[in-house]
DNA sequence: ATGTGTAGTAAACGAGCGTTTACTTTTTGG
DNA sequence: CCAAAAAGTAAACGCTCGTTTACTACACAT
């Protein structure tokens, strides 16, 4: 097979995302690919190395995506000025993209579920879960909303990202995933409109 | 030991909530209790039976809690009329209780993390996760808000429960858990106030 | 055509798994 | 007080785990 190493990584991710790292055996991965266990060890030194390759792959994808959008990669140190270019419309559109990315992209949706399953096992996994899926996006949106001149960026960010974050789980458990995606779009639009009204009020007060 | 069966259940839950069912061995549970493996089998027929006892325990607790609050246990079939007694203040207070329950109660917080880790493994676990933590509370709040006469109960419920649901994860990853709880209170109050304003507007329109 | 590295297989390794067995200690009720 | 039940132990069972080994099939540059 030509692309065996890649197939191993993708198949392992698929299984890890459903069962968790420990519950998946090297035999399971090999069987899902129609290979012998030995063949896997031609491409990876250990089961752990497959897992770590998945982590590195996600890092690469994330860095690439940040470069594509040329948004600041480290939110913590940035001044709000760095976000001034974006509008609430941009933020809403960006959020819809993110929702689709974490639910529909084959790699990202599985990686999200993998992180969900591994988040309590050690500090590193917990930090990655926070960074990619919980406190990270929340703080990022808080900074964006702060740069938008909204009076209570923390609260608005929790509302905005909270409903998205909840819908990831609703999506995962839903029989009609398209409906979940449409609901996400509707909720994002609804909150965007509300924030725009708030923003207009703010600007009327302090121009 | 007098209370061995109970200790086994609680210790297993503690470990399952951190590592997941498969990653915890019977040896791990026995060692954490300072017992031999054989002793565990005096009290439970199998590792699986410990797990299922945990599920049944949660069911019992949940049913008891519903009885204590004498709120309807099955939200699906109920008419909004059943909720007319509650106010938005009641709902906010109830939500703060729920947040503390799922984060601070030793059994419930571990059970929440256990469900989080097992949700993708089979349909039963997925359904329980949805019922206790995702779509279930969302629909419940939607019905409550609908009974409150709010114009867009689905949207308000997603905002309200979304921020709580996100804060469960922020809480889990936070070094300062008290701050996360205080933030949850603040966010719930903030949204309650907003919903009360909306409610007053609605009532002015249609008295 | 052939030598060489690459990708594959089947089988075996020791360790750890959930569970059972044979046995000992502790608790308890008449 | 003492038999019987309950609660505990240590060791072994068969099985599966991740990994290694010995060997085979094949692509391909010289």
């Amino acid at each position: 097979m030509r692309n065996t190493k890649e197939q191993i990584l993708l198949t392992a991710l698929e299984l890890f995302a459903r069962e968790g790292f420990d519950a998946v055996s090297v035999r399971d991965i090999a069987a899902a690919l129609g290979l012998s266990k030995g063949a896997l060890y031609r491409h990876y030194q250990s089961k752990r190395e497959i897992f770590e390759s998945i982590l590195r792959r996600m890092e690469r994808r994330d860095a690439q995506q940040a470069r594509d959008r040329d948004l600041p990669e480290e939110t913590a140190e940035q001044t709000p000025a760095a976000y001034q270019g974006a509008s609430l419309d941009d933020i809403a559109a960006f959020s819809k993209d993110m929702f689709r990315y974490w639910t529909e992209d084959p790699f990202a949706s599985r990686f999200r579920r993998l992180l969900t399953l591994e988040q309590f096992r050690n500090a590193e996994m917990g930090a990655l879960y926070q960074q990619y899926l919980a406190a990270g996006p929340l703080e990022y949106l808080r900074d964006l909303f702060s740069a938008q001149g909204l009076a209570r960026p923390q609260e608005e960010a929790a509302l905005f990202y909270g409903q998205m974050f909840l819908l990831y789980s609703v999506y995962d458990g839903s029989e009609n995933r398209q409906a979940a995606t449409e609901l996400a779009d509707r909720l994002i639009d609804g909150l965007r409109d509300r924030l725009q009204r708030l923003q207009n009020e703010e600007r009327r007060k302090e121009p």
Side-chain angles (χ1 to χ4, degrees), chain A residues 43-164:
Chain A
H43 299 278
Y44 294 93
Q45 288 189 34
S46 66
K47 183 188 172 190
R48 194 87 228 164
E49 205 205 30
I50 303 177
F51 182 79
E52 271 151 22
S53 294
I54 292 171
L55 294 187
R56 272 183 270 119
R57 171 74 59 92
M58 188 67 229
E59 268 174 47
R60 274 205 292 127
R61 282 176 142 252
D62 190 52
Q64 184 59 49
Q65 207 168 46
R67 239 174 287 123
D68 288 352
R69 303 187 173 277
D70 67 15
L71 287 174
E73 224 172 299
E74 295 292 328
T75 67
E77 331 281 19
Q78 293 288 330
T79 68
Y83 310 114
Q84 293 289 10
S87 67
L88 285 174
D89 273 324
D90 294 337
I91 295 170
F94 164 76
S95 297
K96 289 181 193 175
D97 280 356
M98 281 292 99
F99 189 86
R100 278 169 174 74
Y101 180 67
W102 287 115
T103 53
E104 292 173 14
D105 180 272
F107 188 91
S109 71
R110 284 162 186 160
F111 187 81
R112 174 174 58 83
R113 282 178 279 134
L114 169 57
L115 267 191
T116 302
L117 301 189
E118 301 298 324
Q119 65 177 314
F120 303 128
R121 302 211 56 186
N122 60 56
E124 188 200 354
M125 290 297 110
L128 286 176
Y129 182 82
Q130 291 294 323
Q131 174 196 324
Y132 284 115
L133 295 166
L138 177 62
E139 288 165 19
Y140 188 71
L141 277 169
R142 190 234 298 139
D143 293 345
L144 285 175
F145 288 156
S146 179
Q148 289 294 313
L150 291 168
R152 294 158 66 185
Q154 168 84 286
E155 281 82 350
E156 312 297 357
L159 289 173
F160 199 99
Y161 189 60
Q163 59 182 7
M164 284 180 64

